[in-house]
Amino acid sequence: MTASLVSPNTVLANALTAAEDVLAPRIRTASPASIAFVVGTQINGVPHLGTSLVQSLTFAAAARVRDRFSVPVEVRFGALDNAPHEVAIDQTSGHRYQRACAQALGEEALAAQVDELYRPLFDALSERLSIPYAIEMYSRQQADEHYRSTWLRAHRRIDAARWWLDPAHGTPHVRVPCPAPACGWAEKHAEQTRVLLGDEHAVVHAVCLHHGPYEVVITPTGGGHLDLATLYRNLVKELAATTDRDHLSVMVKGGDWVFGSALVDNALTAIGLVGAQLPARLFCSQVVTDTGAKLSKSLIREGKASLPDGSAPWMLDTRMWPGSLAEYADRLLDTAEVVLSDPRHFFRSYSAGELGRLMSAPTRSVTTP
């Protein structure tokens, strides 16, 4: 039996013939030699359906752009090992401290985790669509000379952007973990952290949960581990990508990022970017519950929400998929093909139950007037 997918019209969908049309203005203006589709996720847990959906849509969208515009494409997966692994509260000050995955687990363990949980699916998607990919840990990205130089340049204009990056307090968080051996704790909200800029470096003064005040010098080629709050990190990453005029970077995110990206764009504008200098973005379909909220495995794990109707345990832990990895990749790409077949299907959200239906039965697209 073939299931039908019917989606309502929207202002955006009505302006498009295909989902990738949203990238056409930038591609036609820039005429890039190649395009990188950049997608990332925190790696402090097992992948869930939302993660897999965005990743498969990234590969599928890249293939459509390659075939339509005759330009080489690749996928770059950003493994965010700066996600919190441990959080503690200083009983004296009340400040929250965190130890990120990078500091708590180490590069070797995290690389093995990525190889186990993410690389097999990427290999399958890459092979099926003939699209190369690369995996980049945030720890390595922040150590890159270009990334650090970009941050030093951006931080000189932080006063212009700070209310966009932290509308509540106006203080974008800069975290440089304590350098003491086997420590790595940093203030989560950077209340006592101060950054003093030199000509080509920054001196970060901070306070450790266990070792008290410390300072770290950040240079383009060395110094401590540079961790930034989410919006600030995205500003630096996207600002760094704009300097390569020959190669276009498309930032691929889940639909829940639409609102946050508006703040990042305003921050980029505040520090001097204009028009076509702003990053190209593609927001993918989002997985939601029956209430319309984003499917959250953390809320379900904490008992604050339950599995929605029509869902299954594998949607929160893709290792529990009742079949082979090859079959899982095929079902994801089949679903991606349907979702990308009409802009009305792409620029919308899907309940967990509906996605389960799409991945379990052949589906045809139905376009309504």
Side-chain angles (χ1 to χ4, degrees):
M1 179 178 179
T2 299
S4 297
L5 177 60
V6 181
S7 299
N9 202 2
T10 63
V11 173
L12 176 58
N14 196 47
L16 308 176
T17 300
E20 67 270 16
D21 285 340
V22 295
L23 302 175
R26 184 61 57 85
I27 295 172
R28 296 188 185 283
T29 300
S31 298
S34 67
I35 302 176
F37 286 74
V38 183
V39 60
T41 191
Q42 292 187 338
I43 57 171
N44 58 341
V46 298
H48 56 86
L49 176 58
T51 303
S52 294
L53 180 66
V54 171
Q55 291 169 351
S56 59
L57 285 172
T58 299
F59 275 91
R64 290 171 69 95
V65 167
R66 175 196 60 197
D67 297 342
R68 176 174 171 180
F69 296 98
S70 300
V71 59
V73 298
E74 66 173 328
V75 170
R76 296 179 187 167
F77 174 60
L80 300 177
D81 57 359
N82 62 330
H85 181 75
E86 305 170 80
V87 176
I89 298 177
D90 183 350
Q91 298 303 317
T92 301
S93 66
H95 294 167
R96 296 169 68 86
Y97 287 79
Q98 72 174 46
R99 197 164 181 240
C101 292
Q103 282 70 47
L105 303 177
E107 183 176 345
E108 185 175 338
L110 288 170
Q113 180 175 314
V114 169
D115 287 345
E116 176 187 355
L117 298 178
Y118 296 94
R119 193 180 292 276
L121 179 59
F122 272 76
D123 285 341
L125 297 173
S126 174
E127 179 181 358
R128 282 159 175 73
L129 296 176
S130 299
I131 294 176
Y133 77 92
I135 293 178
E136 183 177 47
M137 309 290 284
Y138 176 75
S139 292
R140 293 196 174 187
Q141 183 185 52
Q142 63 83 32
D144 179 75
E145 181 176 357
H146 180 54
Y147 184 93
R148 288 183 165 231
S149 295
T150 301
W151 173 71
L152 287 167
R153 186 170 75 252
H155 204 75
R156 296 186 186 280
R157 303 293 311 278
I158 198 63
D159 283 345
R162 66 191 185 97
W163 286 105
W164 293 113
L165 297 175
D166 183 14
H169 308 98
T171 308
H173 304 154
V174 176
R175 292 183 287 260
V176 177
C178 175
C183 184
W185 285 88
E187 276 192 304
K188 185 172 180 61
H189 301 298
E191 293 96 337
Q192 301 173 91
T193 300
R194 300 292 179 267
V195 180
L196 302 178
L197 290 170
D199 291 339
E200 296 183 359
H201 72 279
V203 180
V204 179
H205 296 268
V207 178
C208 175
L209 174 64
H210 302 292
H211 300 98
Y214 64 93
E215 69 175 46
V216 177
V217 177
I218 301 291
T219 71
T221 57
H225 182 100
L226 179 63
D227 184 16
L228 306 172
T230 302
L231 295 180
Y232 197 5
R233 183 183 69 245
N234 274 263
L235 176 138
V236 174
K237 178 184 73 174
E238 294 174 357
L239 183 60
T242 63
T243 61
D244 191 340
R245 303 296 176 84
D246 295 327
H247 306 278
L248 177 65
S249 293
V250 175
M251 306 301 168
V252 185
K253 299 180 179 295
D256 56 316
W257 256 97
V258 170
F259 311 109
S261 291
L263 292 173
V264 177
D265 278 346
N266 279 294
L268 288 167
T269 301
I271 65 175
L273 269 63
V274 295
Q277 293 177 314
L278 294 173
R281 293 201 181 94
L282 185 66
F283 297 104
C284 294
S285 307
Q286 186 176 346
V287 187
V288 299
T289 66
D290 299 335
T291 68
K294 175 184 174 182
L295 182 67
S296 170
K297 63 181 181 182
S298 60
L299 290 181
I300 293 173
R301 184 174 59 245
E302 294 167 6
K304 298 177 181 178
S306 58
L307 275 173
D309 291 342
S311 62
W314 67 264
M315 294 181 178
L316 299 181
D317 182 347
T318 59
R319 296 174 301 178
M320 299 175 68
W321 166 262
S324 67
L325 174 67
E327 181 190 36
Y328 185 58
D330 289 339
R331 294 291 181 87
L332 282 169
L333 289 178
D334 287 345
T335 300
E337 182 178 357
V338 173
V339 170
L340 282 163
S341 67
D342 190 307
R344 300 182 189 192
H345 300 332
F346 187 81
F347 296 104
R348 54 161 288 189
S349 298
Y350 290 88
S351 69
E354 178 70 352
L355 275 173
R357 184 181 74 90
L358 293 178
M359 290 188 64
S360 63
T363 306
R364 67 185 180 92
S365 169
V366 176
T367 302
T368 56

